[in-house]
Structure formats: structure tokens, C-alpha cells
Amino acid sequence: MTQPVPPARQYGPDHGSGPSPHTHRQKQDRPPRRLGLRADVRNLSLLGVLVVLVAVGGFTEPDVFLDTGNLQLVLTQSSVIGVVTVGMTFVITSGGIDLSVGAMVALASVWATTVATQEYGFAGILFTAVVVGLGAGLVNGLLIAYGRMVPFIATLAMLASARGLALQITDGRTQLVTVQPVLDLGLPDSYVLGVPPLVIMFAAVTVVGWLVLNRTTFGRRTVAIGGNAEAARLAGIDVRRQRLLLYLLSGLCCGIAAFMLVVLSGSGQNTNGNLYELDAIAAAIIGGTLLSGGRGTIVGSVLGVLVFTTITNIFALNNLQSDVQQIAKGAIIVAAVLVQRRTSTQGGT
């Protein structure tokens, strides 16, 4: 008498009545693939928006917008806030927030441009800007990770404190840079194949940020604690140490951005970095970084920065008022958050 064929052998591993290890692995693979597909679609959509904006700028002010000097200006302006946004992307991906990035940029820029600091030349200005940024980030990290303060409150306190300290250092006056090598970085003679040095710095920070977030254990831990901090802790991740390092990273990016801003403006002011926190958060969100944590994209954040900077440039060239520009930015942010919620809802069903 012929023996009955077991269901798994009769129908094959993909059609068996019971789950097989192969089928289980396929089911586990599907969510990352869907997330990757959504990320690609989102980035392509942002790239499409950027292309449309360039077309609008070229149509409304063809002689000015498409000029090489103006395009270099757009990229240079994107570089400063772009570096800040890279650090913000890591923080938001971990489920945190940093409202003090603009104030940290201001504090680092004025501390790096005092008379005493400028006596040490180019290296002194760069070193001071980076160290001040790291110091402010360290305070944020200690308060949040080990002081167990809510990130919103801790960074809000840093925002007020750093702004106040920057005002005290400058006494409300602009501190002009007299170190010529620093000023030379902002001149066309220092461009490499037509690319400003600040844009090259931004590109370098972006590449390093992408590699760290997507190709290292540090990046995987960041995503893990953003998705579920308690589960990450039970899995053996030192959540407090990771959060401390993330705010240190944000401070480092602010220090680098402060140096770039000093090069761009040739001065240090207590008003530097005004509203950078809102611009960085907005760029990260429209780029696809989930505000609640657990998902982040460096490429999307960079595209978000370019979109906002291009909008600002087009509005300025067409002599449109800044209030209209802010309304447009607000509408874009709301639309991006609504799309995120819709995508997340669909992903959970």
C-alpha cells in the first residue's frame, strides 16, 4: 500500500499546511524590503520635488537662478544647516529631539571668534568650535541619559542657556574674523573644480553619517532604541550610553556647522543659527525620518535640506515676503507628517 506523502513534501515548502523555516525567513524578510521600497519612493519623490523647484526657479528668474554663482550659493547655504540636520537625524531616529542645535551653533561660533581664540589662528578657531559643540552636546546627553530628563525639556534649557551665554560673550556685538586663512575658505579662489569647500565638508559629513547609520553597529543600536528602548535594553544594548553618544554626535555636528558659518559670514554673532532647530527637524521629517523614532534616512534628510534651501532662494529672487515663505514651509511639513502617518498605518496593516 502506498504511503501517504506528508503535506510539506506533497505541496512543497511554499504551500505546506504548516510553517517551514524557509517560509518563516521569507516572512521576516518582507518588512525590510517594503521599508526599503518606501524609502526609495520617498527619496525619488523628494528628488522630483527638487527638480520641479529648479524648473520653477529657472522659469521665473532664468538669468539669475540658473547662474553658476547662485547655484553655488544654494549649495553653500544648504551645507551649514545640512550638517546640523545629519546630527538631528540620528537623534530623532533614536526617539529623541534636540531643540538646542541653533543655540549651540551660536555659542560655538562666538566662542571661536573671540579675540583670545583668534590669536591661535585657523586651528584655534576650528578646535574651539568643535570642542564647544561637543561640550554642549555632552551636557545634553548627561541630562537626558543619566539625569533621566525628557529630551524636550533638557534641550530647551540648553537652548536658553547657550543663547544667553553667547549674548554675554559678545555683549550684543558682532565679532569679526581677522584670520585670513579662515576667510579664504569662503572665496572663489579656494573652490575645488567649482565646488565650494563648505559643500565638500557637507558631502563628507553626509557620507560618514550614512555609513555610520546604515553600516555600523552604532547605527543599528540607534534604530533599535528608537523602535523600542526597553526591548533594546533587554537585548543587551546600553541605552543610556548610546543616548549620550548620540547627543555628543549632535553637538559635534553643531560645532562643525558653527565653523562653516564663521567661514561663510566672516563673523561670530549671538544670533547665528536662529531657528536652525526647526529647519533641521523639518528637513529630517520630510526626508522620511520618523518623528517617533525607529527609522531614519540621511539621504532623505539631505534632500529635505536642499528642498527648503531652494524654496528660500526662489522666494528671495522673486522678492516674495518671508511670511509667505514660512507658510509654504509649514504646509510642506504638515503634508510630510500626514504622508508619514498614512505610510505607517498602511505598514501596520
Side-chain angles (χ1 to χ4, degrees):
M1 184 173 180
T2 306
Q3 294 294 328
V5 180
R9 293 179 60 187
Q10 180 178 359
Y11 299 107
D14 294 334
H15 302 282
S17 57
S20 68
H22 179 69
T23 306
H24 183 63
R25 284 195 300 269
Q26 280 188 328
K27 290 181 179 179
Q28 285 183 327
D29 288 343
R30 285 172 189 167
R33 289 175 183 174
R34 286 200 296 268
L35 288 176
L37 180 59
R38 288 187 191 129
D40 292 339
V41 171
R42 193 162 44 242
N43 291 340
L44 288 175
S45 299
L46 277 175
L47 190 59
V49 171
L50 189 59
V51 170
V52 170
L53 289 174
V54 171
V56 170
F59 178 76
T60 56
E61 292 289 338
D63 296 333
V64 182
F65 181 80
L66 297 178
D67 181 72
T68 302
N70 184 65
L71 295 178
Q72 289 173 334
L73 176 63
V74 171
L75 291 175
T76 302
Q77 291 175 338
S78 299
S79 299
V80 180
I81 185 62
V83 170
V84 176
T85 304
V86 170
M88 183 69 78
T89 301
F90 277 89
V91 172
I92 296 178
T93 302
S94 71
I97 199 74
D98 193 346
L99 301 179
S100 63
V101 291
M104 288 195 292
V105 169
L107 178 60
S109 70
V110 300
W111 208 322
T113 54
T114 59
V115 175
T117 302
Q118 293 194 51
E119 290 179 355
Y120 293 94
F122 183 98
I125 293 177
L126 175 60
F127 177 79
T128 302
V130 171
V131 168
V132 171
L134 282 171
L138 176 63
V139 173
N140 279 337
L142 289 174
L143 290 175
I144 294 167
Y146 294 94
R148 297 188 177 182
M149 290 186 66
V150 177
F152 181 90
I153 301 299
T155 57
L156 186 62
M158 176 57 71
L159 183 155
S161 302
R163 283 287 177 195
L165 184 55
L167 179 60
Q168 187 177 45
I169 291 174
T170 62
D171 197 22
R173 294 191 294 266
T174 300
Q175 298 178 163
L176 298 178
V177 177
T178 58
V179 179
Q180 195 58 43
V182 174
L183 299 175
D184 288 343
L185 281 180
L187 299 177
D189 292 341
S190 64
Y191 290 6
V192 179
L193 300 177
V195 180
L198 298 187
V199 177
I200 297 175
M201 292 176 64
F202 175 37
V205 170
T206 299
V207 171
V208 172
W210 185 90
L211 290 173
V212 171
L213 184 60
N214 296 281
R215 294 291 184 268
T216 67
T217 303
F218 183 89
R220 290 191 291 271
R221 288 174 178 171
T222 300
V223 174
I225 67 173
N228 190 322
E230 182 60 21
R233 185 187 68 82
L234 294 174
I237 296 175
D238 190 338
V239 175
R240 292 188 298 179
R241 178 175 176 272
Q242 184 71 15
R243 283 179 174 156
L244 173 62
L245 293 176
L246 285 166
Y247 283 94
L248 271 173
L249 177 60
S250 179
L252 173 62
C253 289
C254 288
I256 296 173
F259 175 76
M260 296 168 69
L261 192 57
V262 167
V263 171
L264 187 60
S265 63
S267 64
Q269 305 176 53
N270 65 286
T271 56
N272 281 345
N274 189 33
L275 296 181
Y276 271 20
E277 55 276 359
L278 299 184
D279 288 343
I281 293 171
I285 290 173
I286 71 168
T289 298
L290 200 59
L291 191 57
S292 58
R295 186 182 75 207
T297 163
I298 298 295
V299 174
S301 296
V302 170
L303 290 174
V305 169
L306 292 174
V307 166
F308 276 136
T309 308
T310 305
I311 290 175
T312 302
N313 185 259
I314 292 174
F315 275 57
L317 292 179
N318 287 276
N319 297 319
L320 296 175
Q321 297 180 355
S322 59
D323 54 352
V324 180
Q325 172 185 322
Q326 297 301 326
I327 292 172
K329 284 186 176 181
I332 292 174
I333 295 171
V334 171
V337 172
L338 289 176
V339 169
Q340 271 196 4
R341 292 187 62 181
R342 180 180 178 85
T343 302
S344 299
T345 302
Q346 290 176 347
T349 57

